Amino acid sequence: MDSNLSLNNLASLLRRSWNNEQLNVCDYDVADLVPIGENFGSHMIRVRAKVQHNKNSVIKDHEFVAKTILPTNCLINWTRLFEKELFMYTTIVPFYREMEIESKTHEDEKICELFPTLCGYRMSLTPNSKIADEDAVILFQDLRVEGFRTMDRKIGLDMDHAEMALKALAKFHAFGVVAKLKYPSKFEKLRLESQKPGFGCDGMGEICVKLIDLMRVDDRLSRFVNKFEKLVDLNSKNSEPQLLKHNVWSSIIHYDFWTSNIMFHHDEAGNVNGVKLIDFQTYTYANVSADLVYFLCTSLCKELMVTNFNHFVDTYHKTLRHSLETFQVYSDIFSKREFVNRLKNDAALELVHCVFSLYFFTAELEDFNDEQKKDILTTIMNSQANDLFLDKLLTLFEVYEREDWFGE
């Protein structure tokens, strides 16, 4: 396949990242990690390499995943996205691990184990360049070698997978809350870096207008038009969404926590026994409930959306409280009642984000040709809503109605 990872370039990348000038890449091959178009925010490449760490050492097999730039006409600051993701792995996660060690907590389930291992990176082949170009790459361990897999984005997660994902999310959120309360000066640096934007949402308004017109003539969806229009208008008037404002529930959140950004491991019987959180391009500082709403509304299978929705709210809140208490953070301000109130407010602010994302997640990629898939973001935004999207949209609106999340 066409890839920027030439043999010499891969070797130089690993030498610098692993601080080993004697390292040699004896052979390697690359291929698309997933079919073109399946990853909406970057190009993912599978790399298999035979590496010799010095001239006297044995040759070892290494398998990586390389994240590179995805060509698109959408408004994306690739330099900012690469900087943010690297900051997560080189600064935030190591600091969270330091918190664990200092407090002597979580020694059996280290926070760093929720993330893939960073193996190397570069912004460019130009020496000392800080601008991400077509040669930019972030190299991770290939989690599939250890048996981790993503689940079907169109079907969504079942009970066991959803519970494990939410517990991992709550733990990740808790570390940010603890850092904010106990290490305020350090956390302020993390917060400022986290809030720098990388993605533009230039197509969100256009898609919402198209959907509202479609909803008006759909017997199932027409009754939700006025409520949805109101929240679209609220979203368009807030240059800085209210959910980003500081309060006790604010933390560093993933902000794209859905099925395809979670990998699961299973035992021989098929039971889920491990989880990894991936793709930290769009994380930010915001209310933790934003991640929770987004996950529940984009990643649960339909049956759970209808029958077990509040069970997952309870699971998340209990895990968050437990994780906070392991750091001796006890307070009534983190009560279930306060959390539900916060959740209701933030859900109204998150609806447009959920709808916009579902439009992409339900896309029938097999309907697009290879040329269209090269700029999959633009292609999907110009496509028509399909039946799967409309079905998920109806379920989403019914959940909002049932939970009284549309707001006043």
Side-chain angles (χ1 to χ4, degrees), residues 36-37 40 70-74 206-207 210 359-360 363-385:
I36 296 176
F40 304 116
L70 177 73
T72 179
N73 292 321
C74 294
E206 181 181 339
I207 286 181
K210 180 165 55 177
Y359 197 83
F360 284 84
E364 299 287 355
L365 300 180
E366 56 270 21
D367 293 342
F368 306 135
N369 60 42
D370 289 344
E371 188 63 28
Q372 291 173 314
K373 290 178 182 178
K374 289 181 180 179
D375 187 356
I376 193 63
L377 296 176
T378 301
T379 297
I380 293 176
M381 283 193 289
N382 292 333
S383 67
Q384 297 300 311

Side-chain angles (χ1 to χ4, degrees), residues 21-212:
E21 289 301 320
Q22 299 184 60
L23 181 146
N24 183 45
V25 176
C26 304
D27 192 16
Y28 82 114
D29 66 81
V30 297
D32 286 311
L33 182 71
V34 295
I36 296 176
E38 273 290 346
N39 192 281
F40 304 116
S42 55
H43 185 193
M44 305 300 293
I45 300 169
R46 188 266 299 151
V47 183
R48 292 174 178 168
K50 293 185 178 298
V51 178
Q52 188 174 30
H53 290 264
N54 61 64
K55 63 181 181 180
N56 297 318
S57 66
V58 298
I59 298 173
K60 295 183 178 180
D61 292 327
H62 291 270
E63 300 194 36
F64 308 104
V65 170
K67 175 175 285 190
T68 63
I69 285 177
L70 177 73
T72 179
N73 292 321
C74 294
L75 184 62
I76 297 178
N77 184 333
W78 287 107
T79 298
R80 169 49 45 197
L81 289 184
F82 270 56
E83 286 176 342
K84 284 193 73 169
E85 185 138 26
L86 289 172
F87 189 78
M88 172 59 69
Y89 291 99
T90 62
T91 304
I92 295 178
V93 173
F95 177 64
Y96 285 178
R97 177 58 186 146
E98 290 175 12
M99 290 167 49
E100 279 185 326
I101 294 172
E102 182 176 320
S103 63
K104 297 181 174 58
T105 61
H106 303 285
E107 289 302 319
D108 294 330
E109 44 182 19
K110 301 177 180 66
I111 184 66
C112 55
E113 293 175 356
L114 290 178
F115 307 89
T117 300
L118 176 67
C119 299
Y121 60 90
R122 68 169 177 239
M123 287 293 192
S124 171
L125 288 176
T126 303
N128 302 317
S129 175
K130 296 183 179 180
I131 305 299
D133 59 22
E134 65 273 10
D135 295 307
V137 60
I138 304 178
L139 206 63
F140 296 101
Q141 69 175 131
D142 188 347
L143 293 170
R144 298 173 310 160
V145 175
E146 298 180 13
F148 285 88
R149 297 289 186 271
T150 56
M151 307 306 289
D152 193 315
R153 63 180 170 87
K154 295 181 181 179
I155 296 175
L157 303 180
D158 61 18
M159 176 71 75
D160 292 342
H161 291 85
E163 283 192 341
M164 179 162 285
L166 278 177
K167 289 176 181 178
L169 180 67
K171 180 176 178 178
F172 171 62
H173 287 164
F175 273 76
V177 173
V178 172
K180 178 179 64 176
L181 295 175
K182 295 197 170 188
Y183 307 88
S185 60
K186 174 66 175 181
F187 183 78
E188 182 64 9
K189 297 177 182 178
L190 306 185
R191 182 190 69 80
L192 291 174
E193 189 69 24
S194 298
Q195 285 191 274
K196 295 178 180 178
F199 267 109
C201 297
D202 48 326
M204 186 176 291
E206 181 181 339
I207 286 181
C208 287
V209 170
K210 180 165 55 177
L211 291 180
I212 289 170

Side-chain angles (χ1 to χ4, degrees), residues 258-272:
W258 73 290
T259 307
S260 289
N261 286 337
I262 312 164
M263 299 186 74
F264 298 96
H265 189 276
H266 304 85
D267 62 22
E268 294 181 356
N271 301 310
V272 59

